[in-house]
Amino acid sequence: MATDGWTWQVEQPEGWLLVPAAGMLPPDELARWEREVAAMIHADLDDEPYTGRGTGPDTGPGTGPGAGEGEALHQLYAEVAARSVANLRAFADGVVGSGARVAATLRVPDVTPVPVLVTVGVEPPGDAGDDLMTALGSTGGHPVAPPTIEHLDLPDGDGMRVTRLDLDAATGGAWMSVCLGRRTEHPDAVVDTVLQWRSPDLLRAPAMTKLLDELLPAVRVTRSTP
């Protein structure tokens, strides 16, 4: 991806997927990616033991007591996997026009891949950081309490993590978000990297906090013009 004389890419860490948007791959490669990821998700979901499926010589689809229930679960998992891939792809297609990418982690137990929005922006030297703070979620919305803002020392810039809990005014539900930012200053520009995770699954926040810390170094930003 390129922005204002800078090029950036996400070097896919172990346990993560970089979700392609339409047009980023030839149609046959995109279809193959979807099939392979769906099969991977299905296999992971289908790995739970249940009556009628297992690893012994007399177990497997359609064998043993309860095989009907096993086959029903097997089909349900296939549908969940296909729907998960479709949602990831729709998310990626919806943000690519703004220059963003979607990465998804496979390392959150008991759930399908969890998407994270990845963006990189370039500001002039001396920028006050208002856009960065807004992107990180330090302002706006309907927070239950003031967002928690942490400043981080990073090897390649200044870091900031914003964690917040918001009320959904439309449904009355709650949304947790964890956003991680990195600001790298150059003589002629300020480059901001932002990772955003948001979900009604409030209990996933601690795991996502650690995973975002691992993903950030994989976002590589280089100068593309002299």
Side-chain angles (χ1 to χ4, degrees), residues 120-215:
V120 172
V122 179
E123 304 292 346
D127 175 74
D130 293 344
D131 288 344
L132 175 62
M133 296 298 289
T134 299
L136 290 172
S138 65
T139 60
H142 302 85
V144 174
T148 299
I149 300 175
E150 303 170 80
H151 294 271
L152 312 171
D153 289 327
L154 302 176
D156 52 354
D158 297 321
M160 182 178 295
R161 182 189 298 114
V162 178
T163 305
R164 59 183 287 164
L165 179 65
D166 282 84
L167 288 179
D168 189 326
T171 66
W175 287 79
M176 177 66 74
S177 63
V178 180
C179 297
L180 181 62
R182 176 183 64 199
R183 167 159 282 203
T184 304
E185 297 190 11
H186 302 269
D188 58 342
V190 175
V191 180
D192 293 330
T193 303
V194 176
L195 308 181
Q196 298 168 298
W197 169 78
R198 186 170 183 261
S199 172
D201 192 348
L202 311 185
L203 298 180
R204 303 298 178 187
M208 291 307 301
T209 297
K210 295 179 180 179
L211 289 167
L212 292 183
D213 286 347
E214 295 179 12
L215 178 62

Side-chain angles (χ1 to χ4, degrees), residues 16-174:
W16 287 83
L17 298 169
L18 187 58
V19 185
M24 288 187 169
L25 295 174
D28 58 335
E29 292 185 22
L30 186 59
R32 182 168 62 250
W33 184 93
E34 293 173 347
R35 290 194 303 270
E36 290 175 351
V37 172
M40 179 173 55
I41 297 171
H42 186 193
D44 185 56
L45 293 172
D46 216 17
D47 195 42
E48 294 297 322
Y50 53 87
T51 303
R53 294 181 62 83
T55 57
D58 297 322
T59 59
T63 65
E69 291 86 345
E71 282 302 317
L73 279 175
H74 185 66
Q75 180 59 35
L76 175 62
Y77 292 154
E79 294 170 1
V80 169
R83 187 163 58 248
S84 176
V85 170
N87 289 340
L88 289 174
R89 286 274 298 104
F91 189 12
D93 287 349
V95 302
V96 70
S98 64
R101 296 296 308 272
V102 174
T105 178
L106 303 166
R107 293 172 53 196
V108 180
D110 305 321
V111 295
T112 54
V114 178
V116 171
L117 186 66
V118 183
T119 57
V120 172
V122 179
E123 304 292 346
D127 175 74
D130 293 344
D131 288 344
L132 175 62
M133 296 298 289
T134 299
L136 290 172
S138 65
T139 60
H142 302 85
V144 174
T148 299
I149 300 175
E150 303 170 80
H151 294 271
L152 312 171
D153 289 327
L154 302 176
D156 52 354
D158 297 321
M160 182 178 295
R161 182 189 298 114
V162 178
T163 305
R164 59 183 287 164
L165 179 65
D166 282 84
L167 288 179
D168 189 326
T171 66

